[in-house]
Amino acid sequence: RMRLLIVDDDPLIIKSLRDTLESDGHEVVPASGGQEGIAAFLAGHRNGHPFSLVITDLGMPYIDGRKVAGAVKAASPSTPVIMLTGWGRGADTQGDTPSQVDDILGKPPKLRELREALRRHARPV
């Protein structure tokens, strides 16, 4: 069981991921966009309710996934960050994957790939 933060500007992606991950037994906190995601992560970190892992979309207006990942790693370098992107793994081969990202998955993520990524980076809280 992990405490997960999902950051995305698409409410349908948030609902789909939340429903799936909660049915897997995880606690899920949604954030609509980068600024809200950073604020939620920092509040949890500060208040003694840290997140096991952060899942963030890459392409969001104003504050994108790169900035979310950077803020997460600045506050908690050991917290894994999984980035979702409509560009798929192509972003990785083009050098677009930020160094603060632990894994990159296509959007929408295949359930099997998402679960495998969570297992690879599992850090129960």
Side-chain angles (χ1 to χ4, degrees):
R1 176 173 163 82
M2 292 188 285
R3 185 166 192 260
L4 307 172
L5 175 63
I6 298 175
V7 184
D8 203 305
D9 60 328
D10 184 338
L12 294 176
I13 292 288
I14 287 177
K15 181 179 179 353
S16 173
L17 288 173
R18 184 179 194 176
D19 290 350
T20 298
L21 295 170
E22 285 180 344
S23 73
D24 285 350
H26 302 294
E27 177 186 349
V28 177
V29 175
S32 300
Q35 184 61 49
E36 188 177 317
I38 291 170
F41 182 82
L42 294 176
H45 188 68
R46 200 173 36 247
N47 297 330
H49 298 292
F51 291 94
S52 306
L53 185 140
V54 175
I55 300 171
T56 183
D57 184 22
L58 170 59
M60 296 181 287
Y62 311 112
I63 296 183
D64 68 10
R66 288 178 180 89
K67 292 178 183 168
V68 171
V72 166
K73 293 296 189 172
S76 177
S78 64
T79 300
V81 176
I82 296 175
M83 184 169 284
L84 304 179
T85 174
W87 303 328
R89 290 209 171 270
D92 194 22
T93 60
Q94 296 168 5
D96 291 336
T97 303
S99 61
Q100 303 93 342
V101 173
D102 297 283
D103 225 322
I104 187 164
L105 299 175
K107 184 177 177 183
K110 292 183 174 88
L111 190 52
R112 179 183 52 76
E113 291 176 356
L114 179 60
R115 286 178 174 147
E116 286 173 8
L118 290 176
R119 272 193 295 279
R120 274 195 302 275
H121 303 291
R123 261 189 23 163
V125 176

